[in-house]
Amino acid sequence: MRDLYQEILKAQYQKQKLLAILLDPDKLTVDSLAGLVNKINSSPATHILVGGSSFDGNHLCELITLLKEKTSLPILLFPGNSTQISAEADGILFLQLLSGRNAEYLIEQQVMAVPLLEKTNLEIISTGYILIESGSESAVERVSKTKPLDRNNSDYVAQTAKAGELIGNKLIYLEAGSGAKKAIPLDMIAKVSKRITVPLIVGGGIRSKKGIEDAFNAGADMVVIGTAFENDLNFFD
Ligand code: 1GP
């Protein structure tokens, strides 16, 4: 079996940047999947993330089974809540919303997920998830009923990321929110990546190849693209 986390660590060590395409199951139909996956297979993507803030988990297994038939890229669940778990995926970013102070997303949803997770062989990758203010209310903010961290206070964000690492998170994810007006500031990416040793994921509001490159150059180990690819399947051409 693949060890996805070891592969991410190896990529970080070798400075090979990783690119994940985020698919929101709410916006996916079985019919649209084939064309979409062809585009993903010919893109520079290294991972597929599947999840959304408000999706209820229905037809997730079916979608992932179809995805797996059509691509060899690793599929990681990126769950908005404890119902978004499918044994068909390869792994799960087991998220802790470190920016918020709502116990439901710090521990309760994780407790609820355990009986489901125990029935799977998913690789579970503990991920500190940090929501950053990005110009308007994000779905994560709305659903989790938490406030994002100040985009002008990189020191506090870096301190939060470090706390996540010390707690035992194996990845840190800086999130501006899907479709964010403003992506994560580059100086924040730089500050966080210097403060932590675990790999850093950055996503939300990145709409151009330059935006991806800038995030990589600032210190992101993995960049996540959702909306830009959703709106234009030729984004990577
Ligand atoms: C959202 O970070 C991801 O959780 C991707 O955001 O849809 O803005 O690319 P976008």
Side-chain angles (χ1 to χ4, degrees):
M1 217 167 79
R2 289 176 77 161
D3 186 333
L4 298 177
Y5 186 62
Q6 283 306 321
E7 289 176 16
I8 293 171
L9 285 179
K10 191 172 163 201
Q12 179 193 32
Y13 181 71
Q14 296 181 338
K15 298 193 172 20
Q16 286 168 354
K17 300 297 183 176
L18 302 172
L19 181 67
I21 293 183
L22 171 64
L23 301 177
D24 183 344
D26 261 338
K27 298 174 185 158
L28 281 183
T29 60
V30 171
D31 293 343
S32 67
L33 214 63
L36 188 90
V37 182
N38 280 340
K39 282 292 182 186
I40 293 176
N41 286 338
S42 59
S43 80
T46 56
H47 293 76
I48 297 176
L49 301 188
V50 180
S53 307
S54 49
F55 175 62
D56 64 9
N58 280 332
H59 78 288
L60 186 63
C61 291
E62 188 191 356
L63 283 174
I64 292 178
T65 304
L66 286 171
L67 273 175
K68 286 201 73 87
E69 280 169 13
K70 297 178 196 310
T71 183
S72 55
L73 290 179
I75 299 175
L76 285 166
L77 299 171
F78 175 57
N81 60 55
S82 58
T83 66
Q84 294 178 27
I85 293 173
S86 161
E88 314 304 325
D90 298 301
I92 177 169
L93 298 184
F94 199 46
L95 304 173
Q96 254 191 315
L97 185 58
L98 300 178
S99 50
R101 297 297 177 265
N102 181 351
E104 183 178 351
Y105 291 91
L106 278 165
I107 183 63
E108 179 60 15
Q109 288 286 335
Q110 292 79 352
V111 172
M112 300 294 285
V114 167
L116 282 170
L117 289 174
E118 284 178 333
K119 291 190 191 123
T120 74
N121 289 317
L122 289 169
E123 182 177 336
I124 299 170
I125 308 176
S126 159
T127 302
Y129 191 52
I130 302 177
L131 183 63
I132 307 298
E133 190 275 320
S134 62
S136 59
E137 190 189 51
S138 64
V140 180
E141 185 178 350
R142 193 173 61 249
V143 172
S144 69
K145 300 186 183 65
T146 64
K147 287 287 159 214
L149 298 187
D150 182 352
R151 65 184 289 108
N152 297 310
N153 195 345
S154 295
D155 284 332
Y156 186 74
V157 173
Q159 200 175 319
T160 303
K162 188 68 188 181
E165 176 176 305
L166 295 175
I167 287 168
N169 289 141
K170 290 151 96 179
L171 297 172
I172 295 293
Y173 190 141
L174 290 182
E175 171 71 275
S178 191
K181 285 184 185 160
K182 301 177 197 167
I184 302 291
L186 297 177
D187 70 310
M188 185 179 286
I189 298 174
K191 206 165 259 182
V192 172
S193 72
K194 286 195 185 84
R195 194 84 173 259
I196 61 175
T197 57
V198 296
L200 177 63
I201 305 178
V202 172
I206 298 175
R207 289 190 190 77
S208 64
K209 289 180 185 157
K210 180 174 184 305
I212 297 172
E213 276 312 306
D214 287 348
F216 282 149
N217 291 335
D221 298 294
M222 177 187 282
V223 165
V224 181
I225 294 293
T227 308
F229 179 69
E230 210 171 81
N231 290 344
D232 176 12
L233 294 187
N234 299 319
F235 177 79
F236 292 108
D237 291 357

